[in-house]
Amino acid sequence: MQVIGHRGCADRAPENTRLAVRRAASHVDMVEIDVRRCGSGELVVVHDDRLRRLTGARGRVSETPYSRLRSLRVLGSEQSIPLLADLLADVPDGVGVNVELKHAGMAADLLAVLDGVDNEVLVSSFERAALREVGEHADLPLAFLFHQELKRLGRDWRHGLARARHLDCAAVHPSVGLCEDAPEHVAAARDEGFTVNVWTVKRSATARRLHEMGVDGLIVDDWAVV
Ligand code: G3P
Ligand code: MG
């Protein structure tokens, strides 16, 4: 079973920073990072479009040039919001990268940044258009992300798997709440050939249960839960 560090490993260092990736690298098989486009066009690694939670600054990543982003500090640290290209340079050989695309419209730039990167790369997204674009341009493994919210809408695993199939995904990334009471769905997804990586696993007991269910990977904020 693979251990995938969520936002690097967000409980061990400021999320999605170069420090988070460097710290997680010797404890995990893969790091998960959130990617979006900033105001001057570069791809940067940051979860929220709004800057406030992470940096205390006003404004949006999508409207802020990288020249300003790089001057901001993640609250309580010396870390900044990194360029995707810079962060990838910190990932050691043998550690995979799960690039989560936060929106569509990044495929061409993503592929340019990945040129020459030898690490295993898995591209995931909640956004079907983002995965479709990558699938049209490259032969990278894709993962469809889906979460508990779908339950409320009366659409859950069946819906998630149908979309993953349609997008020709190699993997599905369901939220932990969709898996705990649904071992049959995990089994069905695996029987169909999907890799099943579950996010975000915060407790060792949950990690053990998911392991018993046969999931392929756990996306964790702290490598110690596995
Ligand atoms: O990729 C798994 C997980 O990161 C998806 O949710 O909001 O933490 O990016 P979020
Ligand atoms: Mg993410």
Side-chain angles (χ1 to χ4, degrees), residues 69-81:
L69 284 183
R70 71 188 302 182
S71 71
L72 302 176
R73 291 292 166 265
V74 176
L75 291 173
S77 82
E78 287 304 307
Q79 295 297 300
S80 56
I81 294 171

Side-chain angles (χ1 to χ4, degrees), residues 4-189:
I4 304 167
H6 184 231
R7 310 185 190 180
C9 258
D11 283 354
R12 294 282 184 163
E15 66 181 54
N16 283 318
T17 61
R18 298 179 74 171
L19 178 65
V21 163
R22 286 200 298 267
R23 250 187 213 163
S26 50
H27 301 274
V28 300
D29 302 292
M30 185 175 258
V31 286
E32 186 260 5
I33 53 171
D34 300 303
V35 174
R36 56 175 67 250
R37 190 188 291 286
C38 73
S40 48
E42 297 91 338
L43 303 191
V44 293
V45 182
V46 60
H47 183 274
D48 305 354
D49 185 31
R50 287 185 188 278
L51 286 164
R52 186 172 298 281
R53 178 182 64 88
L54 200 66
T55 68
R58 291 165 69 105
R60 293 178 180 275
V61 171
S62 52
E63 295 168 356
T64 306
Y66 184 67
S67 56
R68 164 142 171 78
L69 284 183
R70 71 188 302 182
S71 71
L72 302 176
R73 291 292 166 265
V74 176
L75 291 173
S77 82
E78 287 304 307
Q79 295 297 300
S80 56
I81 294 171
L83 288 172
L84 174 61
D86 289 345
L87 182 134
L88 289 173
D90 285 348
V91 183
D93 292 347
V95 177
V97 184
N98 173 196
V99 173
E100 183 193 338
L101 296 177
K102 284 300 186 191
H103 56 81
M106 294 189 279
D109 291 312
L110 173 67
L111 298 178
V113 172
L114 290 177
D115 191 32
V117 170
D118 291 328
N119 306 71
E120 178 190 348
V121 174
L122 172 64
V123 179
S124 64
S125 190
F126 291 108
E127 302 296 328
R128 283 177 290 166
L131 293 176
R132 202 175 301 120
E133 286 168 2
V134 174
E136 279 165 6
H137 290 94
D139 192 19
L140 286 169
L142 305 177
F144 184 56
L145 270 159
F146 52 103
H147 54 74
Q148 233 154 326
E149 267 306 277
L150 291 177
K151 262 191 186 168
R152 209 168 45 78
L153 303 172
R155 309 191 221 113
D156 49 18
W157 276 88
R158 218 157 45 86
H159 182 84
L161 291 187
R163 291 186 162 187
R165 222 174 276 133
H166 193 65
L167 291 160
D168 206 14
C169 289
V172 288
H173 288 188
S175 64
V176 69
L178 281 173
C179 298
E180 284 192 287
D181 57 353
E184 71 281 11
H185 289 300
V186 171

